[in-house]
Structures are given as structure tokens and as C-alpha cells.
Amino acid sequence: MPVDTDVEKLIAALAEAVISHADELTALDRAIGDGDHGLNMRRGFEAVLNQLPSLAGQPLPEALKAVGMTLVMTVGGASGPLYGTLFLQLGKELPAGANRQQVCTALAAALTALKLRGKSERGQKTMIDALAPPLEAFQQGKDPVAAALNAAEATIPMQAQRGRAAFLGVRSIGHMDPGARSSALLIAAAAAVAAQQP
Ligand code: ADP
Ligand code: MG
């Protein structure tokens, strides 16, 4: 996300990515959760889209904070407060007109806040497993999208240790984590918009 990232394009792309994959996310959550992840995320990002006209005029950090607050209030489930924290903290950490290094630092701080909020770490079959690898790739100048999509796939053989899926024990093995998939979709959408920036 370079300095002059088009706020409106970015937020619209994030919302579109989630909303257009809501059924897939719900199907994934039906396998190892309660089948509402797509519904939760769609509700949240539809609320974000409703605010797009007012968000579009704001600096990126302010817009991200507003998105975070809306997600906390509307997504529900475990993922609402977690995604809300991610966006809110990213908005708080990101300086106006951030350079690449500052974007990396802000993303890392937002991920740390999410981990604290979820009392979770990498390797527990959650959204964190699809957020940490693309951040590392971005830091190393590698492709964050491939890293995110592959990392979501890599949750399939994991046994869940957080969230509802953890109650399934070994039966959580063999399914992609729904939150990891939604995170990978968000990363892919953000990267696509960033790639279009001049
Ligand atoms: P719920 O589980 O309350 O129905 P969702 O279905 O919307 O909420 O979201 C489930 C996703 O949330 C999981 O796939 C997982 O990625 C993520 N998740 C759940 N608990 C945690 C946690 N403690 N830390 C990180 N991510 C979590
Ligand atoms: Mg669920």
C-alpha cells in the first residue's frame, strides 16, 4: 500500500472479495465450525460498503480505523473482534503517507494485536496462519498473495487449537480453516489494488 493508495478502491476491493466468496467461507465453516463465517463476514463488509461514500474522503489510516470499528460491531462471532482489531490497529499504526517499511511495521503491529486479542499464535489453524506468511513474504520482497493462498491451503492438515474447530480435535484435520481462507482473500484483494497504484 503505497502513499497514495486509493482508499475507496481498496475498501471496495476488500468488501467485494469477501462478499463474492461468502458461500465458500460458510461451507468451510460448516465443516469445522457452525457454518456462519461467510454470513458474518458478508454482513460486516456490506456495512462497510454502506459507509464507503464517507470513508472514501478520509486518509487511509482513518478509513482503516472506521472499517475496524464497523467490523467489530457487525461481523459477530469470533472473527468480528479479531478482524476488527486487525483493521483498527493497522489504522492506528499506519502513519499518513506511509512508505513500504512503515506499512510492514504497521502490519506487523496489527498482527501482534490480533494475536493478543485471540490469545493465539501461528500453527493453531486460524486466520493467523494465513496472515503471518504473506507479511513475511512482503518483508522479504516476495509475493504476498501466493504466500497467503498457499498458507490457507496449508491449514488443511492442521489440527485446530483455537475457536470452535478446536472442539473437534483430530476431526478438524482435513479441512481448510475458514478464517485463514477469508484472510487470504483479503490479502489478495489488497495486493491487487496496491499493484495498480502508480
Ligand atoms: P465463530 O467461530 O464464532 O462462529 P466465525 O465463524 O466468523 O466465528 O470465525 C471463525 C474463524 O475465526 C476461524 O476459522 C478462525 O480462523 C478464527 N478464530 C477463531 N478463534 C480464533 C482465535 N482465538 N484466534 C485467531 N483466530 C481465531
Ligand atoms: Mg462460525
Side-chain angles (χ1 to χ4, degrees), residues 14 45 64-65 67-68 71 83-91:
L14 296 175
F45 278 92
L64 290 171
K65 278 191 250 176
V67 168
L71 295 180
Y83 275 126
T85 298
L86 186 74
F87 280 86
L88 202 58
Q89 203 61 34
L90 187 57

Side-chain angles (χ1 to χ4, degrees), residues 25 29 32-38 40-41 75-80 82-83 114-115 117-121 124-128 161-165 176-183:
L25 295 173
D29 197 35
I32 58 169
D34 56 355
D36 63 356
H37 187 57
N40 291 344
M41 295 293 281
V75 173
S79 59
L82 295 167
Y83 275 126
L114 191 162
K115 287 179 180 172
R117 179 86 203 209
K119 297 187 176 59
S120 40
E121 279 298 330
Q124 295 176 325
K125 195 176 178 108
T126 70
M127 55 178 70
I128 291 166
Q161 293 167 51
R162 287 291 181 276
R164 284 178 201 277
M176 195 186 318
D177 178 63
R181 177 65 177 149
S182 58
S183 285

Side-chain angles (χ1 to χ4, degrees), residues 95-120:
N99 62 29
R100 186 190 160 81
Q101 185 50 49
Q102 288 170 319
V103 172
C104 279
T105 304
L107 284 168
L111 184 57
T112 299
L114 191 162
K115 287 179 180 172
L116 282 172
R117 179 86 203 209
K119 297 187 176 59
S120 40

Side-chain angles (χ1 to χ4, degrees), residues 10-182:
L10 174 65
I11 293 173
L14 296 175
E16 152 67 14
V18 167
I19 292 167
S20 65
H21 289 84
D23 290 347
E24 181 196 344
L25 295 173
T26 284
L28 291 173
D29 197 35
R30 212 174 286 127
I32 58 169
D34 56 355
D36 63 356
H37 187 57
L39 298 173
N40 291 344
M41 295 293 281
R42 183 167 65 200
R43 184 170 56 243
F45 278 92
E46 279 176 352
V48 168
L49 275 187
N50 285 336
Q51 295 173 340
L52 197 56
S54 74
L55 294 174
Q58 297 181 24
L60 182 59
E62 294 310 314
L64 290 171
K65 278 191 250 176
V67 168
M69 279 186 278
T70 299
L71 295 180
V72 168
M73 287 187 295
T74 58
V75 173
S79 59
L82 295 167
Y83 275 126
T85 298
L86 186 74
F87 280 86
L88 202 58
Q89 203 61 34
L90 187 57
K92 284 186 185 165
E93 298 283 342
L94 204 63
N99 62 29
R100 186 190 160 81
Q101 185 50 49
Q102 288 170 319
V103 172
C104 279
T105 304
L107 284 168
L111 184 57
T112 299
L114 191 162
K115 287 179 180 172
L116 282 172
R117 179 86 203 209
K119 297 187 176 59
S120 40
E121 279 298 330
R122 226 169 135 165
Q124 295 176 325
K125 195 176 178 108
T126 70
M127 55 178 70
I128 291 166
D129 291 309
L131 291 169
L135 175 59
E136 275 177 14
F138 186 54
Q139 285 164 337
Q140 295 165 5
K142 296 181 189 157
D143 177 14
V145 177
L149 296 173
N150 291 337
E153 294 281 337
T155 65
I156 294 173
M158 292 183 182
Q159 180 172 333
Q161 293 167 51
R162 287 291 181 276
R164 284 178 201 277
F167 296 122
L168 293 180
V170 292
R171 282 185 294 135
S172 65
I173 294 172
H175 305 275
M176 195 186 318
D177 178 63
R181 177 65 177 149
S182 58

